Amino acid sequence: MGTEFPVCKECSSGNLLPLSDFGSQGAPIHYKAWVCSQPDCGYNIKIRNGDVYINEPISAGESHVPRTRG
Ligand SMILES: [Zn+2]
């Protein structure tokens, strides 16, 4: 049983995983983005408004990490 996902061209070890999203009307948008399964690679490709974005910085919701002040 081989993998059904394409191999990442960037690191050649991870697989590109398809991610889906939901539109403003709640309609599913399949395969809107592809992300490498290797966290160290981070290769990603996204489609937004018909344009393709490659290797955009991944937003993991950690932009507001509390900073400890000494
Ligand atoms: Zn990769």
Side-chain angles (χ1 to χ4, degrees):
M1 299 294 286
T3 175
E4 57 184 299
F5 298 125
V7 175
C8 176
K9 297 289 194 297
E10 194 76 10
C11 64
S12 298
S13 62
N15 293 107
L16 296 178
L17 308 179
L19 302 180
S20 299
D21 199 357
F22 291 93
S24 56
Q25 304 298 320
I29 303 173
H30 294 297
Y31 303 160
K32 181 180 179 182
W34 293 76
V35 180
C36 180
S37 61
Q38 288 284 353
D40 290 341
C41 175
Y43 181 80
N44 64 89
I45 211 172
K46 292 179 209 161
I47 300 174
R48 188 162 59 223
N49 296 329
D51 294 322
V52 178
Y53 297 82
I54 298 177
N55 267 347
E56 269 200 330
I58 296 178
S59 173
E62 298 176 353
S63 58
H64 51 274
V65 173
R67 302 180 62 163
T68 55
R69 297 178 57 179

